[in-house]
Every structure is written in C-alpha cells, then in structure tokens.
Amino acid sequence: MESKTLLVTGFEPFGTETTNPSWEAVKRLPDRIGAYRVERRLLPVEFGQAAALAIDAADRVHPDAILCVGLAASRTAITPEAIGVNVRDASIPDNAGSKPEGDPIDACGPAAIFSTLPVRKMVEAITAVGIPAQLSYSAGTYVCNDLLYSLLRRFDGTRTRVAFIHIPLASAIPVETSARVLCAAIEAM
Ligand code: PCA
C-alpha cells in the first residue's frame, strides 16, 4: 500500500496546567496508523508561533493531512472542530505573554474556514469505540483556533487537508484512551 504522511501536533502546557494531555496523547501514537506514516511535533502555546512552526514542519514533510490536537479543559467529550474563525481573543495571556483582544488572525482572510478533513466521520469513529465525542462548531478564539484557522488558510486549495481535535483533561479521559481515540479518528480520515 502506498504510504501517506500525516503531521500530528500537540501543545505544551499553558495557564495553570503542568502537563498538556494533547501532547501526552500524541506522544503515545504509533509511527504508522492505517495508510499514514506519522510525523509529530510539539507546539508552543503562542499566537502566531504555533502556526508558524506547524507550517514550517509541513513545508519539510509535505503531509497529505495535518491533525492538530489541543486541550479543552472545560469539555468532557472528544470534540473534532468543524471550523476555524478569523479572530484572536484571549482571556489569559499565551505562553509568550500576548493577550490579543478581538484582533483578526489574517486581515485579508475570510471570517471563517471549514475543516477539510471528514470531521463527522471522525465523530462516528470515536463514538464507535465507546468514547463520548461531539462535533464542535467553535474551537474558541485562543491559540488552538489560531492554529486551525492559520493552517486552513495556508493550505486552502492544496492537497494538504487539515483538522483539529480538542480533548478533555486527563482526569476526564486518560491520555492512553485519548491516544486510542485519535487512532480511530485517523483511521476514519
Ligand atoms: N488548548 C488551548 C491552546 C493550547 C491547548 O492545548 C486552546 O484551546 O486554545
């Protein structure tokens, strides 16, 4: 079988958390999932910089798909994100101290861009392994949305598809389970 490349990203800890389950889960993924060879990168929780590093990695590995993973501490289900919006609005500073208030990500970009991977199928695949999942229509306005929107904008019209999955705290869903769930979502892509 011809091998495809998947770039998977997780985040560093931020706010009051000392670990980030997104990276803990991404770390636990096997090197090969279905048709994909997995390349992984740890990203800083910094507006602009997270996307810049992800785009730099993508320019090196030429992925067929990019799946970004982040923590949504207030959620209890796994939530693939349907859409990225063109705004930065932070309630806490990012890890570089930046706290934008309603700024556009890209002054020339559309208000929103839909994910280019089959997020509905991902929700079904996660639910099928017995873990609560729900399609989300808001990735927030913090660094996760910044990353999703920026990647969708950058790879718009190219063969590289992009999606984002928010996962809950490890106390709600253990990171081993989240890793298993990510595999199921990737196999459904
Ligand atoms: N979650 C944050 C940024 C990093 C992360 O893991 C968010 O939802 O924007």
Side-chain angles (χ1 to χ4, degrees):
M1 188 166 38
E2 196 195 334
S3 178
K4 296 184 182 180
T5 302
L6 171 68
L7 176 62
V8 189
T9 71
F11 276 108
E12 289 176 349
F14 68 105
T16 54
E17 306 295 334
T18 52
T19 64
N20 191 320
S22 66
W23 180 243
E24 295 305 314
V26 168
K27 262 195 332 203
R28 287 167 170 79
L29 293 176
D31 292 333
R32 184 166 280 279
I33 303 171
Y36 289 102
R37 187 178 62 80
V38 174
E39 284 275 344
R40 68 200 92 208
R41 293 290 186 283
L42 172 63
L43 299 178
V45 182
E46 295 177 27
F47 284 101
Q49 189 63 7
L53 290 178
I55 288 167
D56 184 63
D59 285 343
R60 286 165 203 270
V61 305
H62 304 292
D64 298 276
I66 306 175
L67 179 63
C68 304
V69 186
L71 165 66
S74 61
R75 296 184 189 171
T76 52
I78 307 275
T79 49
E81 299 291 347
I83 193 167
V85 296
N86 189 6
V87 67
R88 292 174 169 167
D89 198 85
S91 55
I92 57 167
D94 72 7
N95 286 357
S98 166
K99 190 175 174 298
E101 295 181 341
D103 306 336
I105 297 169
D106 179 345
C108 302
I113 310 179
F114 285 109
S115 170
T116 44
L117 280 163
V119 280
R120 252 170 219 288
K121 273 176 74 181
M122 291 178 173
V123 171
E124 283 166 22
I126 297 164
T127 309
V129 297
I131 305 300
Q134 213 177 348
L135 186 61
S136 165
Y137 281 96
S138 176
T141 55
Y142 195 53
V143 178
C144 289
N145 172 72
D146 189 63
L147 175 64
L148 174 60
Y149 180 90
S150 302
L151 290 177
L152 286 169
R153 177 93 171 114
R154 167 65 181 77
F155 293 104
D156 186 25
T158 75
R159 70 178 184 95
T160 301
R161 293 165 191 273
V162 178
F164 194 102
I165 296 183
H166 265 121
I167 65 171
L169 286 167
S171 53
I173 297 186
V175 290
E176 291 77 11
T177 306
S178 286
R180 203 155 48 77
V181 157
L182 292 176
C183 285
I186 292 163
E187 281 167 356
M189 287 181 355

